[in-house]
Amino acid sequence: MTSTVPALGTRTAEGSALQAVLLDMDGTLVDTEGFWWDAESAVFAALGHTLDPAWKQIVVGGPMTRSAGFLIEATGADITIPEVTVLLNDAFERRIGGSLPLMPGAARLLAELAAHEVPTALVSASHRRIIDRVLDSIGAHHFRLTVAGDEVTRTKPHPEPYLTAATGLGAEPARCAVIEDTATGVAAAEAAGCHVVAVPSLTPIEPARRRTVVPSLVHVNLPFLQGLMTA
C-alpha cells in the first residue's frame, strides 16, 4: 500500500527548514531518572554511604563520569570512577528488567516523525550497553542513528554528541531540533548550534533564544518542531 503521508522534504507548504530531530533518552523519552537514583543509592549503600536526596538534582542528566565523580567526592567513598561506573551500570540494568515507561507523548511523537520520514537520532550520555537495553522499550526502528556517551571523546555538556549525530544524519546543526530534559543536555545542544526544546524533568529550565520550554512531549509535534526553524 502506498502511504499518503508526505516525506519531510516534500512539505514545502510549511516552508520548514527542519533537517533532523535529535532526542535525549533518560528523562526525555523514558522515565528512567528514578531508576538511576535507586541504582546510585544502592551502590553507595553497599560501600557504606547514604546519599543525600538533594544530590539527585545535581547528578541527574549528567555524564556517568561527572555523576560518579561527584558522588565519590561527596561521600568520600574509597572507589575509583571506572570501578563505580561498572557497578552503577550493573545496578541500573538489574532494575530496568522488563519494559520501561515512556514519557507522556513520546510514543506518539516518535511515530509521527517516522511517518513523515524525519531523520531522527537518539543522543544519550548513557553507555552503549544501557542504550541497547532501553531501546527494547523505545523501539530501535525509530532512529537512524544512536550516539552513546562512551562512544564520543567528550560527552554532554560538550557539543560533540550532538555534532556527531547531526553529521551522521547529514544535517546542519542549525537545522536540527533537539529535545532535552536537563540543563546539561540543553547546554550541549545549544553549544552545537541546534534549536532546543526543553522538557524539564527534575530541575527548572528557563526559556532563552533558540530554546523553547514545554511542560511535556504532549505539546510537541512535527509542525511545532518545523516552526522552530522559521520563528
Side-chain angles (χ1 to χ4, degrees):
M1 181 177 68
T2 302
S3 172
T4 59
V5 179
L8 182 66
T10 67
R11 296 172 65 86
T12 55
E14 293 86 353
S16 172
L18 180 68
Q19 292 182 341
V21 177
L22 317 176
L23 302 105
D24 174 54
M25 185 177 77
D26 295 295
T28 298
L29 292 178
V30 284
D31 191 5
T32 52
E33 299 297 5
F35 289 94
W36 277 116
W37 180 249
D38 289 346
E40 290 158 348
S41 298
V43 166
F44 279 87
L47 296 171
H49 302 278
T50 300
L51 301 188
D52 186 331
W55 297 343
K56 184 176 182 179
Q57 294 191 2
I58 298 175
V59 299
V60 65
M64 179 71 73
T65 52
R66 191 194 73 183
S67 299
F70 169 83
L71 293 174
I72 289 172
E73 182 177 355
T75 60
D78 184 18
I79 192 170
T80 67
I81 290 178
E83 289 171 339
V84 81
T85 294
V86 173
L87 296 178
L88 290 172
N89 279 327
D90 288 344
F92 179 78
E93 282 197 89
R94 286 194 296 271
R95 279 161 174 76
I96 63 176
S99 61
L100 286 166
L102 297 184
M103 299 300 285
R108 187 266 314 151
L109 175 60
L110 290 174
E112 182 180 9
L113 294 175
H116 290 275
E117 302 179 10
V118 180
T120 306
L122 184 70
V123 184
S124 177
S126 290
H127 289 187
R128 171 55 57 186
R129 60 182 285 195
I130 300 299
I131 287 181
D132 287 344
R133 286 291 304 277
V134 175
L135 280 173
D136 291 339
S137 296
I138 303 176
H141 61 283
H142 289 300
F143 308 100
R144 295 191 188 180
L145 175 70
T146 61
V147 178
D150 57 341
E151 295 173 340
V152 292
T153 304
R154 292 160 295 187
T155 189
K156 303 173 187 179
H158 195 275
E160 182 180 347
Y162 282 113
L163 292 174
T164 299
T167 299
L169 294 177
E172 300 173 30
R175 294 190 176 186
C176 292
V178 169
I179 303 179
E180 274 279 0
D181 73 307
T182 67
T184 299
V186 167
E190 291 181 340
C194 304
H195 294 263
V196 179
V197 177
V199 190
S201 53
L202 293 178
T203 57
I205 298 174
E206 295 299 320
R209 181 178 177 274
R210 296 171 67 90
R211 181 199 310 166
T212 303
V213 181
V214 296
S216 166
L217 289 180
V218 171
H219 300 271
V220 181
N221 56 23
L222 181 54
F224 175 90
L225 296 173
Q226 290 173 324
L228 298 178
M229 305 295 116
T230 57

